[in-house]
């Protein structure tokens, strides 16, 4: 019979490892990572403002060379929720 201690160790590491992220990275999160600090802070403030629609934000970002669609902005605004993106709140 073959020695299975190496297999057991490998399987244990897999079971104990944090789950790998599923799916593509959030478009809005990716855009925020490319912006300078002041601009990213302003975008985050606007994202948290209920008086500005997701469509308006998507149009402003797209018009500034950061193409994104309104549903992606809306999903990012729901981050942390069951129907939001995986970006931290």
């Amino acid at each position: 019979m073959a020695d299975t201690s190496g297999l057991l160790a490998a399987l244990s590491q897999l079971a104990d490892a944090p789950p790998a992220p599923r799916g593509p990275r959030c478009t809005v999160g990716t855009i925020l990572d490319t912006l300078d600090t002041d601009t990213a802070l302003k975008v985050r403030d606007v994202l948290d403002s209920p008086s500005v629609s997701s469509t308006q934000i998507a149009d402003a970002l797209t018009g500034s060379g950061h193409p994104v669609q309104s549903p992606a902005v809306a999903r990012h605004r729901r981050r942390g929720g069951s129907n939001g993106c995986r970006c931290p709140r």
Side-chain angles (χ1 to χ4, degrees), residues 2-71:
D3 180 20
T4 59
S5 61
L7 175 59
L8 256 129
L11 292 173
S12 292
Q13 282 181 325
L14 288 174
D16 295 338
R22 297 183 318 263
R25 175 102 157 70
C26 170
T27 304
V28 176
T30 301
I31 291 170
L32 287 169
D33 289 346
T34 66
L35 299 174
D36 63 80
T37 305
D38 291 337
T39 305
L41 183 60
K42 184 61 179 175
V43 172
R44 284 185 175 94
D45 287 344
V46 172
L47 284 165
D48 291 336
S49 173
S51 64
V52 181
S53 74
S54 296
T55 301
Q56 290 173 305
I57 296 169
D59 288 347
L61 289 170
T62 299
S64 298
H66 304 283
V68 64
Q69 294 182 352
S70 176

